[in-house]
Amino acid sequence: MNSRAQHKASHVTTRRLLDMKQGGEKISVLTAYDYTMARILDRAGVDVILVGDSASNVFSGHSTTLPITIDEMIYHAKAVVRGVKDETNRAMVVIDMPFMSYQLSGEEALRNAGKIMKEHECDAVKLEGGSIIAETVKRITDVGIPVMGHLGLMPQSIYKYGSYKVRAQEGMEAAQLLEDARVLEEAGAFAIVLEKIPSALAAEVTSSLTIPTIGIGAGAECDGQVLVINDILGLNREFHPRFVRRYTDLNTVIENVVRQYVHDVREKEFPTADESY
Ligand code: KIV
């Protein structure tokens, strides 16, 4: 096998994720929105990089995920795919389809999913919703575009819920979520994100499906876990929900570095002769 073929063989695929579930191997997923971060995540061995529409919040500063456009998502996606390709090219790259890019009709959803796939050769798209988008999921997967589902707290529906609290705590909503997961699997989804639901329900969904579940605030029984990169790096000071593990405090680290730089420039300590030509 030549080196190019070997390179390709290690790339994480939907098949590989299925094998991981079957083998009891946990799947690691993180978001990324730019080239540099994508390179670091891929080098560090993350299985899946999600170009989340959380870019609307953490990159652009909007209060919800609704404003981000398909062209903005494609801009982020291109940078991330380039980063992965320039590194080990192992991580699978999944792109969120933004609000109103797939809800109007199956035809428009297919056109937009195709546009996302064609413009930068990512691996898959992610859509929020259950039974109501099952036809759309089937239509997209039927033409060969892998779809990741997203149930539980769906940030694109925040105005319907009115809050970011834990979803599916009551019997009816929990039963609907179980049914939605089953329907998404039947429609061809290769994995489902479960956001902010009780651990026991996430465990029940996970054991009832063949495809992997990826949890965020959904307990330890999911087949994998996803978090927003800015959150685990501690870049955001204000946001610290219980499901986020903050591994470092980059906000303070960066602030201190910038303060030192400002000081060095003001005090004429930068640049030195060694740092000049
Ligand atoms: O947009 C996003 O980052 C997401 C994850 C939090 C699952 O959908």
Side-chain angles (χ1 to χ4, degrees):
M1 202 191 292
N2 66 29
S3 65
R4 200 179 161 83
Q6 277 172 359
H7 201 54
K8 275 196 125 168
S10 67
H11 192 77
V12 175
T13 59
T14 55
R15 178 72 245 174
R16 170 82 186 113
L17 296 184
L18 206 56
D19 290 346
M20 286 175 82
K21 173 169 180 137
Q22 279 161 7
E25 246 183 284
K26 294 283 185 182
I27 301 163
S28 58
V29 185
L30 278 171
T31 68
Y33 318 101
D34 67 82
Y35 174 83
T36 305
M37 195 60 80
R39 288 193 70 163
I40 298 171
L41 264 51
D42 184 50
R43 200 182 328 134
V46 74
D47 299 307
V48 179
I49 298 180
L50 171 66
V51 184
D53 58 359
S54 48
S56 179
N57 307 103
V58 300
F59 189 87
S60 302
H62 295 296
S63 61
T64 72
T65 57
L66 275 66
I68 199 159
T69 65
I70 191 154
D71 289 334
E72 286 168 335
M73 286 304 297
I74 287 173
Y75 171 81
H76 289 294
K78 278 182 173 167
V80 168
V81 169
R82 233 177 270 132
V84 169
K85 284 193 172 147
D86 280 356
E87 207 53 54
T88 74
N89 198 14
R90 180 182 172 278
M92 166 189 272
V93 180
V94 180
I95 317 296
D96 254 338
M97 291 193 67
F99 180 60
M100 293 318 286
S101 68
Y102 59 92
Q103 290 92 340
L104 279 179
S105 71
E107 192 177 324
E108 191 175 54
L110 185 55
R111 190 179 310 114
N112 284 330
K115 180 173 162 150
I116 289 173
M117 294 294 285
K118 239 177 144 54
E119 288 208 18
H120 50 67
E121 288 186 79
C122 64
D123 296 285
V125 294
K126 176 163 84 61
L127 277 65
E128 293 181 8
S131 310
I132 201 156
I133 60 152
E135 272 297 306
T136 300
V137 171
K138 180 162 170 27
R139 211 158 165 181
I140 297 174
T141 53
D142 276 354
V143 301
I145 301 173
V147 171
M148 181 180 266
H150 186 148
L151 295 172
L153 177 65
M154 294 177 279
Q156 292 180 11
S157 303
I158 188 59
Y159 288 109
K160 179 174 141 195
Y161 303 136
S163 86
Y164 286 98
K165 73 176 176 46
V166 179
R167 305 302 311 172
Q169 300 195 82
E170 309 298 333
M172 284 254 290
E173 200 186 337
Q176 181 63 54
L177 192 142
L178 265 165
E179 171 64 6
D180 284 341
R182 192 194 61 71
V183 168
L184 284 179
E185 174 168 276
E186 200 176 283
F190 71 92
I192 301 178
V193 167
L194 299 175
E195 180 162 354
K196 240 177 156 183
I197 61 170
S199 308
L201 176 60
E204 197 178 344
V205 175
T206 301
S207 64
S208 71
L209 298 182
T210 307
I211 58 172
T213 58
I214 310 294
I216 173 162
E221 298 305 317
C222 294
D223 300 303
Q225 297 293 328
V226 56
L227 283 175
V228 168
I229 187 69
N230 296 49
D231 295 341
I232 71 165
L233 295 178
L235 277 167
N236 187 336
R237 271 215 169 128
E238 293 80 27
F239 187 67
H240 28 80
R242 151 178 181 172
F243 64 83
V244 167
R245 183 173 295 181
R246 193 181 274 193
Y247 287 83
T248 184
D249 178 10
L250 272 199
N251 191 298
T252 305
V253 171
I254 294 172
E255 184 180 328
N256 288 340
V257 167
V258 174
R259 282 185 193 286
Q260 187 62 50
Y261 171 75
V262 170
H263 166 274
D264 292 352
V265 170
R266 283 193 186 142
E267 300 303 317
K268 303 182 184 134
E269 290 171 18
F270 175 82
T272 62
D274 283 351
E275 289 160 329
S276 306
Y277 298 97

